[in-house]
Amino acid sequence: MAQTQNLGIYQLPNGNWGYRFTRTVDGKRVNRKGSKDENGKPFTTQRAALQAKAIAELRFDAEQKQKPKRRMTFGEVYAEYCEQGRGGRAYTTIRKQDSLWRNHLEEKFGSRFIDDISVAEVNDYLAQLYYVEGRAYRYVEGFLKMFYLIFGQAYSRNYLDVDTYNKLCVNKDVRISMPKMKIDEETDIVAFSREETDLLDAYFKGSNAETAYLLGKCCGLRINECYGLKWENVDIERGTITIDRQMQYQEGLILLVPLKTRNARRVIYMSQSLKEYFIALAAERKAHAVIMRAQREQNCSYIYDVDGSRISSLELVNSLPNGKIQTVNSMKYHSRTIKSSLKIDFKYHYLRHTYGTRLAEANTPTHILCNQMGHASGKVTERYYLAVSQTGIDILVRNLNGV
């Protein structure tokens, strides 16, 4: 029995081991042999050669069963994915994919047969984007995801054989991967210092953007979530805000659309100061409905909600007192003004970073912070605990002085 199992296993003159086997394909005998693994390391034992032979036979047989229907180009596979494979994808995801394709991938890979593209070629391309062209690391990650997506589409449609797909996307030792991150790569977490926050508090106090500012600072909302927030989702009595939709521009229209991920849907808890602010804001809204009724009726806009129904912009928390709608573009003016007058590089998303960093500094349990931020992965949340802020340094110094 052992001799049957070892059939095709032989020892080389240098003491290492190899294997061979034969198959009949389309009436012709096909021989296969090997003495090294996928990483180029020799088989030093009979057992290693035996295991490699068994795997090689399984792969060969699988390839014959799953021969590609026909050769497809990279561009043809992407076109097929666009037509049949991305139903249900978010509007912004589709736009990003199409942008990467039109501006980069189509020219380089579009006309190439997909089974001719190698791991080394893709890795070299990613390295070119990152090291030579100076693209941001997170931006280059978008290209990596596109390659995995298109190769996966090709494999699912039987345009790539098992072995080729495994080399490209599965085998951890050889598959396509991101270039090694530069030592000086900037962190994604940018948090405002206490001094900067004090200046921003004073700047936004009493402005038309104060509510939006506080929702970013005190709740960590993304800008689309902020401007898509409806009054019906604010429970002042309980002190909670339900995030279940966002505002987007699509084909020139302002729409309320579903959130990008399931985890983004969440209930956020307000601080006491924010709760008091909303109590006062609700009272002002009630008064404006009477005092500025005519203006509000004339200035309000009608937009489509997530269910396709038309709603008045007056239902949005960030609607102006006179009824005019505010959108995700409303913060651009303030970003420019703050940079010129306060010398602060202000981006609304940095308020979200600041919120997450402050909660991490206060030792908020990771799963709670993950929930409040609406992250799909705890690994994303952990970056807030690793980010080094001035407040964190101050805490460290105090701790060191107490040792």
Side-chain angles (χ1 to χ4, degrees):
M1 185 70 175
Q3 289 182 345
T4 301
Q5 288 180 338
N6 294 344
L7 186 64
I9 305 300
Y10 57 93
Q11 191 167 22
L12 300 168
N14 61 6
N16 292 327
W17 293 80
Y19 68 82
R20 66 169 67 91
F21 64 89
T22 303
R23 289 288 189 272
T24 300
V25 179
D26 297 330
K28 297 181 181 180
R29 292 177 66 81
V30 178
N31 298 313
R32 290 287 184 269
K33 63 180 181 178
S35 59
K36 296 179 181 179
D37 63 18
E38 291 181 343
N39 299 317
K41 296 180 180 180
F43 302 128
T44 57
T45 65
Q46 184 183 30
R47 180 180 179 82
L50 184 63
Q51 291 176 335
K53 175 175 177 283
I55 293 173
E57 289 177 319
L58 288 173
R59 284 182 174 175
F60 185 90
D61 294 341
E63 287 176 15
Q64 303 314 306
K65 293 177 181 178
Q66 278 195 308
K67 281 186 176 180
K69 296 176 181 177
R70 64 186 180 93
R71 297 190 79 190
M72 295 279 282
T73 66
F74 202 76
E76 287 173 330
V77 175
Y78 181 69
E80 187 178 80
Y81 161 73
C82 292
E83 183 179 347
Q84 303 177 25
R86 65 179 181 186
R89 295 275 184 172
Y91 178 77
T92 52
T93 299
I94 293 174
R95 288 192 62 185
K96 181 179 180 180
Q97 290 174 351
D98 287 343
S99 175
L100 292 178
W101 176 255
R102 288 193 306 269
N103 298 321
H104 300 279
L105 296 175
E106 184 176 19
E107 180 180 358
K108 179 74 174 177
F109 296 97
S111 60
R112 297 279 307 282
F113 284 116
I114 197 159
D115 56 351
D116 272 348
I117 300 172
S118 67
V119 172
E121 190 174 0
V122 175
N123 285 344
D124 288 346
Y125 178 69
L126 297 176
Q128 170 77 16
L129 290 171
Y130 184 51
Y131 294 125
V132 180
E133 298 183 18
R135 308 280 182 176
Y137 192 82
R138 299 297 179 192
Y139 182 69
V140 177
E141 280 186 324
F143 286 86
L144 179 66
K145 292 177 182 178
M146 280 285 284
F147 280 112
Y148 272 108
L149 183 152
I150 296 174
F151 287 135
Q153 174 77 9
Y155 178 64
S156 69
R157 299 284 177 173
N158 209 16
Y159 305 138
L160 280 178
D161 61 56
V162 176
D163 193 48
T164 302
Y165 177 71
N166 284 343
K167 287 180 180 178
L168 287 165
C169 302
V170 179
N171 190 316
K172 293 182 179 180
D173 295 322
V174 298
R175 69 187 179 188
I176 57 176
S177 58
M178 284 293 292
K180 186 176 181 181
M181 185 180 289
K182 301 172 189 174
I183 295 176
D184 59 349
E185 180 73 23
E186 291 185 6
T187 176
D188 282 341
I189 306 299
V190 179
F192 295 120
S193 66
R194 298 286 180 179
E195 293 76 12
E196 289 174 327
T197 303
D198 289 342
L199 291 173
L200 293 173
D201 286 347
Y203 171 86
F204 282 105
K205 182 69 174 179
S207 72
N208 289 337
E210 183 177 11
T211 302
Y213 167 72
L214 291 176
L215 286 170
K217 173 192 170 185
C218 303
C219 300
L221 296 195
R222 301 175 178 92
I223 192 167
N224 296 66
E225 296 170 343
C226 168
Y227 285 101
L229 181 63
K230 298 172 64 176
W231 272 105
E232 68 181 42
N233 285 7
V234 178
D235 190 329
I236 298 177
E237 185 175 343
R238 292 181 57 212
T240 61
I241 296 174
T242 300
I243 306 301
D244 62 1
R245 69 199 71 199
Q246 61 179 329
M247 178 184 288
Q248 278 187 3
Y249 280 99
Q250 293 187 11
E251 309 300 331
L253 296 176
I254 301 172
L255 306 174
L256 297 186
V257 300
L259 300 169
K260 188 173 181 180
T261 66
R262 182 179 301 176
N263 294 79
R265 183 185 175 93
R266 61 202 188 276
V267 175
I268 294 176
Y269 292 86
M270 292 189 274
S271 64
Q272 183 59 35
S273 61
L274 184 63
K275 183 176 178 180
E276 292 172 358
Y277 174 84
F278 265 93
I279 291 174
L281 187 65
E284 289 178 8
R285 178 175 181 249
K286 187 175 182 180
H288 290 149
V290 177
I291 300 172
M292 308 179 74
R293 179 178 178 181
Q295 292 183 48
R296 288 160 69 88
E297 288 180 354
Q298 178 175 297
N299 292 329
C300 74
S301 304
Y302 287 89
I303 61 176
Y304 288 101
D305 205 347
V306 289
D307 60 358
S309 62
R310 294 184 70 206
I311 64 169
S312 167
S313 57
L314 294 172
E315 296 185 36
L316 301 176
V317 169
N318 282 288
S319 175
L320 295 177
N322 65 3
K324 290 186 177 181
I325 191 172
Q326 290 198 95
T327 71
V328 293
N329 291 327
S330 302
M331 200 58 71
K332 291 182 177 179
Y333 165 79
H334 298 289
S335 296
R336 293 193 299 268
T337 304
I338 290 170
K339 189 167 187 176
S340 62
S341 62
L342 301 181
K343 309 304 179 187
I344 297 175
D345 184 15
F346 178 82
K347 293 181 180 179
Y348 188 85
H349 203 69
Y350 292 168
L351 294 173
R352 177 173 168 82
H353 289 180
T354 304
Y355 170 81
T357 302
R358 297 276 172 82
L359 288 183
E361 289 171 349
N363 295 320
T364 303
T366 307
H367 67 285
I368 297 295
L369 180 53
C370 182
N371 172 270
Q372 292 296 279
M373 298 292 288
H375 289 152
S377 169
K379 290 183 178 180
V380 178
T381 307
E382 288 172 1
R383 291 187 291 131
Y384 289 92
Y385 291 87
L386 298 175
V388 178
S389 65
Q390 185 57 51
T391 303
I393 293 173
D394 293 340
I395 294 173
L396 171 63
V397 173
R398 285 202 302 271
N399 290 342
L400 290 173
N401 290 335
V403 173

